[in-house]
Amino acid sequence: MTTPLLMIEDDTRLAQMVGAYLGQSGFAVEHKATATEGLARLQQPGGLPELVILDLMLPDMDGLEVCRRIRAAQGEMARVPVLMLTAKGDPLDRIIGLELGADDYLPKPFEPRELLARIRAVLRRRSEGAPVATQVLRFGSLDIDRDARSVTVAGQACELTAYQFDLLVTLAERAGRVLSRDQIMEAVRGRELEAFDRSIDVHMGRIRAAIEADPKNPKRIVTVRGAGYVFAKQQD
């Protein structure tokens, strides 16, 4: 049995690519190229999609307004999960979208595999009855949004790879605890990374470059000589 999804996206080529990719994993993607068509589809009698993939930039209406209308609707339509596609590096759109009720967001361009993982995560949370609100780890001016997989410092987006994000979350969720390289690699196992201690050091250096005010004198991720790394609980 396939899981129905609705994609409201004016880029037909992208929609076709996403539909073909998700189709391999048991999803049936129905595509609408405009906000008007997408909202009309949601208002039709009968079955609703399990999730809406909603582009922010549509030719006839802002995606944020579409999200607002979905959440303001009556009945089941208001509860349909929404995954919003936003412009890369625009945290304001992300924040507004989440405040309007989007369940997750993904910046363009994106990897289809990450889109699939986010869709599954949203649907899993819904099926388990768990809240879909964003889980944000806050340390001073540093925000780590685990659901949206984004990091900001004083509101400015930080560019991290998927693996570096996972490393950062691993440390932040255990703030104050010293973790060895082996413990860190075990916590994020399953990702593609060569299993050498020094590879962790390289990634930590890049994470520091993204989130530290002075990467050469880090205050957030501290090296404990001979033991590993610790994420500082108290920050700016």
Side-chain angles (χ1 to χ4, degrees):
M1 180 180 296
T2 58
T3 301
L5 307 178
L6 174 64
M7 186 171 191
I8 307 176
E9 164 66 63
D10 63 332
D11 187 335
T12 300
R13 183 177 178 183
L14 174 62
Q16 291 174 343
M17 179 197 72
V18 168
Y21 182 83
L22 296 180
Q24 299 173 9
S25 298
F27 294 95
V29 180
E30 181 179 357
H31 172 228
K32 299 298 181 183
T34 67
T36 302
E37 293 173 345
L39 288 170
R41 165 62 183 87
L42 291 170
Q43 292 164 353
Q44 290 176 359
L48 286 167
E50 292 294 317
L51 178 142
V52 174
I53 304 170
L54 174 62
D55 186 31
L56 180 67
M57 303 297 292
L58 294 167
D60 57 335
M61 188 185 302
D62 190 290
L64 296 173
E65 175 61 17
V66 176
C67 184
R68 187 194 68 77
R69 294 191 184 190
I70 291 173
R71 291 293 172 253
Q74 300 295 318
E76 291 297 319
M77 176 176 165
R79 292 184 284 276
V80 173
V82 174
L83 190 156
M84 185 168 286
L85 304 178
T86 70
K88 186 176 179 64
D90 195 340
L92 181 59
D93 286 338
R94 170 179 62 84
I95 292 168
I96 294 174
L98 293 171
E99 288 178 346
L100 287 173
D103 297 283
D104 200 354
Y105 98 108
L106 186 62
K108 290 182 175 181
F110 55 84
E111 289 291 333
R113 184 170 61 177
E114 182 175 2
L115 174 63
L116 174 61
R118 287 175 180 271
I119 290 171
R120 285 174 168 167
V122 171
L123 294 178
R124 183 171 60 250
R125 291 196 299 270
R126 282 292 171 116
S127 66
E128 293 172 350
V132 296
T134 302
Q135 300 180 46
V136 180
L137 297 170
R138 289 192 171 92
F139 300 89
S141 61
L142 172 66
D143 283 0
I144 305 170
D145 189 330
R146 288 174 288 190
D147 284 350
R149 296 183 66 81
S150 66
V151 179
T152 60
V153 175
Q156 296 298 310
C158 300
E159 294 296 328
L160 296 175
T161 66
Y163 190 84
Q164 289 160 10
F165 179 85
D166 289 343
L167 289 175
L168 178 59
V169 169
T170 295
L171 288 169
E173 289 180 336
R174 300 162 178 79
R177 289 174 50 191
V178 178
L179 298 179
S180 68
R181 292 177 178 85
D182 286 343
Q183 288 174 316
I184 295 170
M185 292 174 70
E186 174 65 20
V188 295
R189 66 186 183 280
R191 291 283 188 177
E192 296 178 0
L193 182 73
E194 62 273 22
F196 300 104
D197 281 0
R198 290 302 122 188
S199 67
I200 292 290
D201 296 340
V202 170
H203 282 286
M204 289 300 178
R206 291 172 181 167
I207 295 170
R208 283 169 169 162
I211 70 172
E212 299 277 7
D214 181 3
K216 294 183 178 180
N217 184 32
K219 302 297 183 183
R220 304 180 189 278
I221 299 177
V222 180
T223 301
V224 180
R225 189 175 300 276
Y229 295 94
V230 61
F231 190 89
K233 285 185 176 180
Q234 300 298 323
Q235 301 183 14
D236 59 315

